[in-house]
Amino acid sequence: MKTPEQIALEKQRERITKRFHKACADYGLIADGDHILIGLSGGKDSLLLTELLGRRAQIYKPRFTVTALHVRVKERDYHTDLSYLETFCQEAKVPLIVRDVEIGENHQSPITNHQSSNPCFLCSWYRRKTLFNVAQELGCNKIAFGHHRDDVAQTLLMNLFFQGAFATMPPILQMDKMPLQLIRPLCLIDEADIVEYAAMRGYEKQTKLCPFEHVSSREKVKELLEHIKTLNPETIDSMYGAMTNIKKEYLPKQ
């Protein structure tokens, strides 16, 4: 007989998996013959992404291959227990690759002086560069990120406030200069559901968190969005609706 905890876990897993499958179907995120590289940071979102894609890859159709990549940046002192990631990926039946990256003083990148002084931008740039390089080495045609529904809403606000653009992270994006697509299979899953599921599953937290985690612009926008949700719990639903319901007569004249 199942315990109440087991029943609650199965219900939450079913809820999350349903949203994952809906995103994959609605946006055409997975196709036969795909080789998908997962950006596995070790946080709850990328762990869930690895679990879901690993389980989905065991289903007969569509047939696709999945590999996880964990990138460690030498100059950034935050990381996940590597032995835990290895065990996690083995259980998910997902091969794991680990790459160490060193930024150094004489880095070669199209980064401006302003961006170079931003530790979050620099770290993110090198992690993504490594993802793209490994994807091409392995012959992957897609890279999967663990961005959830709240991330999409936060990015919309950041672009609106700081870039003057009504734009966010799309569920699927074709890269211009390489035969790669970026996909976000968790884009319809609420962060609160992921937090609850991670606790139920006993996901191990990162050994050291990013020292800039709570001082970034994204963190401030996240706090703002959480405040707005106290005024209207359906805020993110409204934002998702707005992204697909822009009336041309309300756009500024050219």
Side-chain angles (χ1 to χ4, degrees):
M1 186 174 182
K2 295 180 180 178
T3 65
E5 290 78 12
Q6 290 173 324
I7 294 174
L9 174 60
E10 289 181 1
K11 286 184 177 180
Q12 188 68 351
R13 179 184 288 124
E14 182 180 356
R15 173 185 175 86
I16 282 177
T17 302
K18 182 178 179 180
R19 302 299 292 177
F20 164 76
H21 285 158
K22 178 174 173 55
C24 291
D26 287 357
Y27 303 114
L29 303 185
I30 301 174
D32 277 314
D34 282 346
H35 187 175
I36 303 173
L37 182 65
I38 301 172
L40 177 58
S41 67
K44 66 184 188 313
D45 308 323
S46 63
L47 289 173
L48 175 62
L49 179 63
T50 301
E51 179 180 333
L52 291 174
L53 282 174
R55 190 185 308 135
R56 185 69 182 83
Q58 305 308 310
I59 300 175
Y60 180 73
K61 192 174 183 179
R63 298 300 295 172
F64 66 96
T65 305
V66 61
T67 303
L69 171 65
H70 179 62
V71 181
R72 299 185 295 189
V73 179
K74 180 180 179 180
E75 290 86 351
R76 298 294 178 260
D77 187 24
Y78 72 97
H79 56 270
T80 299
D81 181 3
L82 187 56
S83 62
Y84 173 72
L85 291 185
E86 291 172 341
T87 300
F88 188 93
C89 287
Q90 287 175 359
E91 293 176 352
K93 298 182 179 178
V94 174
L96 173 65
I97 296 174
V98 179
R99 288 290 174 89
D100 292 311
V101 177
E102 183 174 356
I103 297 175
E105 295 181 359
N106 300 315
H107 55 79
Q108 299 295 320
S109 71
I111 299 176
T112 66
N113 290 333
H114 173 71
Q115 292 167 337
S116 294
S117 64
N118 183 337
C120 297
F121 186 95
L122 197 59
C123 181
S124 175
W125 192 90
Y126 273 90
R127 289 176 185 276
R128 288 215 173 195
K129 182 175 184 291
T130 305
L131 272 170
F132 292 145
N133 288 343
V134 172
Q136 292 179 298
E137 289 173 15
L138 298 179
C140 298
N141 63 315
K142 291 178 181 176
I143 298 177
F145 293 113
H147 297 122
H148 47 65
R149 198 163 176 254
D150 296 64
D151 285 327
V152 174
Q154 292 161 21
T155 301
L156 175 64
L157 290 181
M158 290 183 70
N159 283 330
L160 188 63
F161 295 159
F162 301 113
Q163 303 296 329
F166 193 83
T168 190
M169 302 178 292
I172 184 168
L173 175 67
Q174 176 65 55
M175 300 296 293
D176 292 331
K177 298 182 179 180
M178 57 185 73
L180 279 172
Q181 289 183 321
L182 309 184
I183 61 173
R184 297 180 170 89
L186 308 186
C187 65
L188 298 182
I189 303 175
D190 291 321
E191 182 178 23
D193 285 336
I194 299 177
V195 170
E196 184 176 352
Y197 182 74
M200 290 178 172
R201 279 275 283 113
Y203 282 176
E204 186 176 297
K205 295 184 179 180
Q206 290 173 295
T207 308
K208 287 188 178 181
L209 298 178
C210 172
F212 303 101
E213 183 173 353
H214 298 295
V215 296
S216 65
S217 297
R218 177 171 289 277
E219 183 65 21
K220 294 176 182 177
V221 169
K222 179 178 180 178
E223 293 174 0
L224 173 62
L225 184 57
E226 288 303 311
H227 174 68
I228 296 174
K229 285 162 67 175
T230 64
L231 304 177
N232 175 21
E234 309 300 325
T235 291
I236 295 184
D237 289 331
S238 297
M239 294 176 69
Y240 262 68
M243 285 185 275
T244 58
N245 188 33
I246 301 177
K247 293 182 172 57
K248 292 183 178 181
E249 60 266 30
Y250 294 152
L251 295 176
K253 303 289 185 182
Q254 296 296 327

